[in-house]
């Protein structure tokens, strides 16, 4: 049965759930209210400051306090249980959180790509679309915001979805915090947060230390991180904010993936070559951003500039014999470089034809310079050490984008949001390692795209919105994907084209007076020139454009208070991600030329068809109790779709208690994950050339912690 046919029954079921509610509400309010909707300030491409309820898109906002009883070491802890989002803790701290939104980004085997990331308004995604979340300090976060659907395209290249992390401004009376946890596998965290305000100055500074021996063999890790936000009220309606981040993660061990047989025999083991070559990764990053905002009458100006340095050294398990090829880049990757950029935008609020109207215009430019070197991972017979130089190149990627967005409420019930973004992305690579057998690999290529989006919102009642939106998006290859040619020749894969998508969404949002909320969305994304692995051999991957793909499905979330201080939160996602045009791939390790056909209709790898999560919480007095259920369908692991990680369902329990004192509050908490000790695959390595697709999740795990919140010196406690 075609995917579109399979979508119809679910669409009908969801429509049956939500749309009668809409029409009943319209019938009750047949006469439009005379009052106008509140004015909405729209910021181009960021939607920051806009009530998500009044915009034609799917948004989720996560309060960090919901994860207060967890370890506080991974970004995935705050993204669990969101519709349309897959955020997986890989139990491998040499790799970043595995993140995808509605199937975008699921193919990534390195970092985060296909999803745009921001930390306090500063980009955490580079101009080529490659991003990482490891540098953000989880203890300092106040909330996370997730945008899904067509309007993600207003963020530019590789924006199949958008995740923004906010640490929040300090205020007088905010408590300072000390926090520590102990858990299974010798895991330990400790951290401090200083937050408050003195006159026109506010601050939010968080620092933490994390270490673990790891659930699997050869997975020990340590991280120190710092996140700071400092604000100054310069004068009336003018402010300046400084955001700083720092991360040091030395020698995080990489246990690599397992084959299915290895997973079933012993999921805690590491692949033999992981210990043989001592596979590991070190990351050090520092970053700072400055944001200036000014309000002048009906206008608003925002200017942001940022810069940073990032160094990465990674030891891979590339066999010595493979590196005999003079074109091979070796088994040690060493990256060091800087990046930065600026964003300026102005908005104006007034009236058009006597109705509320907002318009925003802006531009941004980003640039990354990276010195990439490669070395042999052996010296003589000693493995896992840095040997002879095999690669030396200087890469530069930059973008210059312009955007515009307008919102108009042309009647009491209807509003429209329109936007367009033009992006230009330029890649340059200069090869400094040229020998008689290794020719000059320098090269350059440019990409550009214009991505329009449009949406409508119908205000059925004060508590109900219906919306529809559509738009275009695009995703360039990253430097990692341009690094090698699929035909084995020297130089960059300059023939790669950007993937271009057409995105559609229909949705319903409802919220009750008792803080109940329901959101339902049907979506589809059709992509041309999808980027996928062409070959994975001799320690390197090559990529190519495979043709047409489709991601379509439905998602729903429901929050319902049950009684005083108790509520349940539910989220469900159904996603059919398939190939629409057949293509050939390499089916075996060592294959350099695609030789096996992938038929149209085959599921895209890395995307579970169904996800469900439920969380119940109860706060009787100074206690807080919670239970979480997370379930996922089977996940295909390669392009052929012949193998998949099994589905799973996991239960977690939490409990905490607070004791008040004259100078603050002491909180003790505990959590048990995977209560029934199920064996499961937590994440997958898509298209691994050795068939080691599986990264097992941990068995039953325990965590206990203490947190002390006390009043900052010289301030009075905040009264809520």
């Amino acid at each position: 049965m075609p995917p579109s046919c399979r979508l119809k029954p679910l669409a009908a079921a969801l429509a049956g759930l939500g749309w009668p509610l809409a029409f009943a509400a319209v019938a009750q309010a047949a006469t439009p209210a005379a009052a106008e909707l509140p004015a909405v300030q729209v910021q181009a491409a960021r939607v920051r400051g806009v009530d998500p309820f009044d915009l034609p898109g799917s948004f989720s906002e996560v309060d960090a306090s919901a994860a207060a009883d967890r370890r506080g070491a991974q970004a995935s802890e705050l993204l669990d249980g969101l519709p349309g989002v897959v955020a997986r803790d890989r139990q491998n701290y040499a790799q970043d959180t595995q993140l995808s939104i509605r199937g975008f980004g699921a193919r990534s085997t390195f970092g985060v790509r296909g999803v745009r990331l921001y930390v306090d308004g500063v980009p955490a995604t580079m101009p080529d679309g490659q991003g990482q979340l490891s540098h953000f300090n989880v203890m300092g976060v106040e909330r996370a915001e997730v945008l899904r659907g067509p309007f993600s395209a207003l963020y530019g290249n590789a924006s199949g979805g958008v995740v923004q992390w906010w640490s929040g401004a300090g205020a007088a009376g905010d408590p300072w915090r000390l926090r520590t946890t102990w858990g299974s596998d010798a895991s330990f965290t400790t951290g401090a947060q200083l937050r408050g305000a003195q006159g026109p100055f506010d601050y939010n500074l968080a620092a933490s230390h994390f270490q673990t021996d790891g659930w699997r063999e050869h997975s020990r890790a340590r991280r120190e991180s710092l996140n700071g936000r400092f604000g100054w009220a310069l004068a009336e309606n003018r402010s300046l904010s400084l955001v700083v981040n720092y991360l040091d993660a030395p020698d995080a061990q990489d246990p690599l993936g397992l084959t299915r047989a290895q997973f079933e025999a012993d999921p805690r083991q590491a692949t033999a070559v992981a210990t043989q070559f001592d596979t590991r990764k070190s990351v050090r990053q520092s970053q700072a951003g400055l944001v200036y905002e000014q309000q002048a009458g009906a206008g608003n100006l925002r200017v942001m500039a940022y810069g940073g340095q990032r160094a990465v050294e990674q030891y891979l398990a590339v066999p010595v014999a493979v590196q005999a090829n003079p074109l091979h880049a070796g088994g040690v990757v060493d990256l060091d470089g800087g990046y930065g950029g600026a964003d300026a935008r102005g908005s104006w609020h007034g009236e058009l034809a006597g109705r509320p109207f907002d318009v925003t215009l802006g531009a941004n430019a980003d640039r990354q310079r990276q010195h990439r070197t490669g070395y042999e991972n052996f010296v003589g017979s000693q493995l896992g050490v840095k040997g002879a130089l095999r690669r030396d190149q200087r890469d530069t990627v930059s973008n210059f984008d312009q955007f515009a967005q307008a919102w108009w409420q042309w009647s009491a019930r209807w509003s429209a949001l329109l936007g367009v973004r033009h992006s230009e992305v330029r890649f340059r690579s200069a090869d400094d390692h040229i020998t008689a057998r290794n020719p000059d690999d320098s090269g350059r290529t440019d990409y550009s795209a214009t991505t329009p989006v449009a949406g409508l919102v119908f205000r059925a009642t004060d508590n109900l919105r219906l919306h529809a939106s559509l738009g275009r998006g695009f995703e360039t290859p990253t430097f990692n994907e341009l690094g090698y040619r699929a035909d084995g020749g020297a130089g960059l894969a300059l023939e790669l084209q950007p993937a271009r998508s057409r995105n559609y969404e229909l949705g319903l949002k409802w919220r009750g007076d008792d803080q109940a909320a329901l959101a339902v969305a049907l979506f589809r994304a059709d992509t041309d020139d999808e980027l996928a692995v062409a070959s994975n051999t001799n320690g390197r991957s090559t990529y190519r454009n495979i043709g047409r793909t489709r991601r379509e499905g439905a998602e729903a979330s429901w929050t319902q208070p049950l009684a005083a201080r108790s509520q349940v939160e539910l989220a469900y996602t159904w996603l059919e991600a398939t190939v629409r045009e057949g293509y050939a791939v390499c089916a075996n390790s060592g294959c350099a030329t695609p030789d096996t056909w992938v038929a149209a209709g085959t599921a895209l790898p890395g995307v579970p068809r169904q996800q469900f999560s439920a969380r119940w919480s109860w706060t009787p007095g100074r206690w807080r109790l919670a239970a979480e259920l997370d379930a996922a369908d089977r996940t295909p692991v390669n392009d052929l779709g012949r193998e998949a990680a099994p589905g799973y369902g996991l239960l977690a329990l939490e409990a905490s208690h607070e004791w008040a004192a004259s100078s603050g509050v002491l909180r003790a908490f505990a959590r048990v994950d995977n209560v029934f000790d199920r064996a499961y695959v937590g994440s997958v390595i898509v298209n691994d050339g050795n068939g080691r697709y599986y990264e097992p999740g941990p068995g039953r795990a325990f965590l206990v912690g203490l947190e002390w919140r006390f009043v900052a010196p010289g301030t009075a406690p905040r009264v809520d």
Side-chain angles (χ1 to χ4, degrees):
M1 182 183 297
S4 59
C5 295
R6 287 193 292 267
L7 178 60
K8 292 178 181 178
L10 183 59
L14 289 170
L17 173 66
W19 295 103
L21 177 63
F23 290 114
V26 173
Q28 292 176 359
T31 303
E36 294 181 348
L37 287 175
V40 177
Q41 180 185 347
V42 177
Q43 296 185 356
R46 294 294 194 268
V47 300
R48 177 183 170 192
V50 180
D51 184 355
F53 194 67
D54 291 309
L55 290 176
S58 294
F59 303 85
S60 295
E61 183 171 315
V62 182
D63 187 337
S65 64
D69 296 342
R70 305 186 70 164
R71 188 164 52 188
Q74 287 279 82
S76 58
E77 297 173 22
L78 293 176
L79 299 177
D80 282 350
L82 296 181
V85 177
V86 176
R88 288 169 162 164
D89 179 352
R90 305 180 66 171
Q91 292 299 305
N92 179 353
Y93 294 95
Q95 305 294 337
D96 211 336
T97 296
Q98 195 171 69
L99 177 64
S100 65
I101 295 180
R102 292 183 178 177
F104 287 98
R107 288 180 177 270
S108 177
T109 57
F110 42 85
V112 178
R113 54 116 59 255
V115 176
R116 299 293 294 188
L117 307 173
Y118 293 85
V119 176
D120 284 321
V122 177
T125 298
M126 295 297 101
D128 66 347
Q130 184 76 44
Q132 61 278 322
L133 283 171
S134 56
H135 71 288
F136 186 62
N137 184 289
V138 177
M139 185 171 180
V141 68
E142 180 182 73
R143 71 186 190 280
E145 297 174 354
V146 180
L147 168 64
R148 307 177 296 280
F151 274 89
S152 301
L154 280 183
Y155 287 73
N157 176 28
S159 51
V162 181
V163 179
Q164 300 197 72
W165 304 88
W166 300 100
S167 56
D174 278 342
W176 290 9
R177 293 195 300 154
L178 297 175
R179 188 177 191 272
T180 186
T181 70
W182 305 268
S184 301
D185 310 312
S187 296
F188 170 73
T189 67
T190 185
Q193 182 185 32
L194 309 181
R195 182 170 177 172
Q198 295 287 340
F201 172 72
D202 70 84
Y203 58 92
N204 183 351
L205 181 67
S208 64
H209 165 83
F210 163 68
Q211 66 183 47
T212 181
D213 285 349
W215 183 73
R216 294 179 60 195
E217 297 175 3
H218 196 72
S219 59
R220 187 175 62 250
R222 175 172 66 86
R223 286 181 178 177
E224 277 81 38
S225 65
L226 179 145
N227 186 83
R229 182 195 180 280
F230 307 93
W232 292 267
L234 301 176
E236 186 177 1
N237 297 324
R238 288 190 294 165
S239 66
L240 186 68
S241 300
L242 171 66
V243 180
V244 295
N245 307 99
Y246 175 77
L247 168 73
D248 184 23
D251 294 326
Q253 295 178 330
D254 188 348
L256 304 179
L258 300 179
T259 65
R260 184 62 176 266
Q262 289 173 322
F263 163 67
E264 292 175 349
D266 178 10
R268 301 192 70 162
Q269 68 177 299
T271 302
V273 293
T275 54
Q276 183 182 14
F277 285 91
D278 190 16
T279 49
R280 61 198 186 275
K281 182 179 180 181
S282 297
V283 178
R284 179 172 292 174
Q285 178 171 329
S286 57
Q287 176 176 298
L290 203 60
V291 181
Y292 172 80
E293 294 188 77
Q294 178 176 337
Q295 182 76 36
N300 178 271
L301 173 67
R302 178 183 181 273
V303 179
M304 183 274 294
Y306 73 100
Q309 291 284 132
R310 182 176 174 88
V312 178
E313 184 180 63
Q314 185 171 13
Y315 287 76
L316 307 174
V318 180
V320 172
V322 168
Q323 298 173 63
N325 181 347
L327 300 181
H328 201 280
V332 180
V333 178
D334 194 340
L335 306 175
D336 191 2
Y339 57 90
D343 179 285
R345 65 190 64 197
S347 62
W348 176 82
H349 173 72
E351 291 187 349
L352 177 64
R355 305 298 301 180
F357 178 74
D358 286 80
V359 63
T360 301
L361 300 174
N364 77 279
D366 306 278
R367 180 181 173 87
Q368 180 188 19
R369 290 180 58 85
Q370 184 170 263
H371 185 200
R372 179 188 294 264
T373 52
Y375 300 86
E376 293 174 347
N377 57 1
F378 63 93
V379 175
S381 61
Q382 186 179 4
L383 304 180
V385 295
K386 184 181 289 187
L389 180 70
R390 298 296 301 271
R391 185 176 193 173
D392 187 357
Q393 67 188 56
R394 299 181 184 275
D395 298 330
T396 302
V397 58
S398 61
N399 75 280
F400 178 58
D401 291 17
Q402 312 89 47
F403 50 84
Q405 184 167 295
W407 175 83
W408 185 34
Q409 181 198 332
W410 75 80
S411 76
R413 292 202 180 279
W414 290 94
S415 63
L417 183 62
L418 305 175
V420 64
R421 187 180 187 108
H422 179 74
S423 302
E424 298 177 3
V425 186
R426 298 181 175 89
F427 293 84
R428 304 290 184 267
S429 181
D431 187 2
D432 294 331
H433 184 64
I434 304 171
T435 67
R437 301 179 64 195
N438 186 3
D440 189 349
D441 294 338
S442 301
R444 57 190 295 171
T445 189
D446 298 336
Y447 302 106
S448 65
T450 299
T451 52
V453 293
L456 293 173
V457 174
F458 175 62
R459 181 176 185 259
T461 71
D462 288 344
N463 293 336
L464 180 66
R465 304 289 187 271
L466 309 178
H467 73 265
S469 60
L470 73 164
R472 293 183 177 273
F474 91 116
E475 180 178 6
T476 70
T478 66
F479 250 123
N480 283 318
E481 291 161 342
L482 289 169
Y484 301 104
R485 295 173 57 90
D487 60 9
L492 301 179
L494 301 180
E495 75 282 358
L496 290 179
Q497 297 299 310
R500 300 178 186 270
S501 60
R502 299 170 301 282
N503 304 282
Y504 314 91
E505 178 176 291
L506 293 173
L508 171 152
K509 304 174 192 176
W510 171 83
R511 60 186 178 191
D513 297 331
D514 60 350
Q515 296 186 332
L518 171 69
V520 179
L522 305 177
F523 58 86
R524 171 176 288 179
D526 292 320
T527 302
D528 296 330
D529 293 326
E530 178 92 19
L531 288 159
V533 172
S535 66
N536 197 331
T537 182
N538 294 337
R540 69 184 189 186
S541 297
T542 65
Y543 296 82
R544 67 184 185 126
N545 299 102
I546 62 171
R548 296 183 294 120
T549 61
R550 172 172 291 172
R551 298 165 175 88
E552 62 181 355
E555 60 189 32
S557 61
W558 181 26
T559 299
Q560 180 61 57
L562 299 178
R565 304 176 73 92
S566 178
Q567 73 172 21
V568 64
E569 300 166 79
L570 305 175
Y572 173 76
T573 304
W574 181 85
L575 174 59
E576 187 85 10
T578 57
V579 174
R580 303 293 292 172
E581 180 180 352
Y583 64 99
V585 298
C586 283
N588 301 298
S589 177
C591 163
T593 302
D595 56 5
T596 305
W597 192 252
V598 177
T602 302
L604 294 177
V607 182
R609 195 178 196 188
Q610 297 184 85
Q611 287 190 108
F612 174 76
S613 68
R615 177 180 172 88
W616 167 82
S617 59
W618 181 37
T619 313
R622 293 191 174 275
W623 283 93
R624 185 169 85 161
L625 307 174
E628 292 180 358
L629 174 65
D630 287 296
D633 206 346
R634 64 193 297 272
T635 302
V637 297
N638 58 10
D639 288 326
L640 293 172
R642 296 176 181 173
E643 196 170 339
Y648 60 83
L650 304 175
L651 177 67
L653 301 175
E654 292 179 359
S656 66
H657 189 271
E658 293 184 346
W659 293 269
S662 59
S663 58
V665 175
L666 176 66
R667 188 172 68 91
F669 55 94
R671 179 179 170 97
V672 183
D673 283 292
N674 194 0
V675 171
F676 297 110
D677 199 25
R678 304 293 190 192
Y680 73 103
V681 174
S683 60
V684 299
I685 304 173
V686 171
N687 286 320
D688 183 85
N690 298 291
R692 298 194 293 257
Y693 307 114
Y694 304 100
E695 293 183 305
R700 186 185 297 114
F702 301 90
L703 175 77
V704 296
L706 290 172
E707 181 178 87
W708 174 246
R709 302 194 303 271
F710 60 99
V711 178
T715 65
R718 176 190 285 188
V719 178
D720 293 328

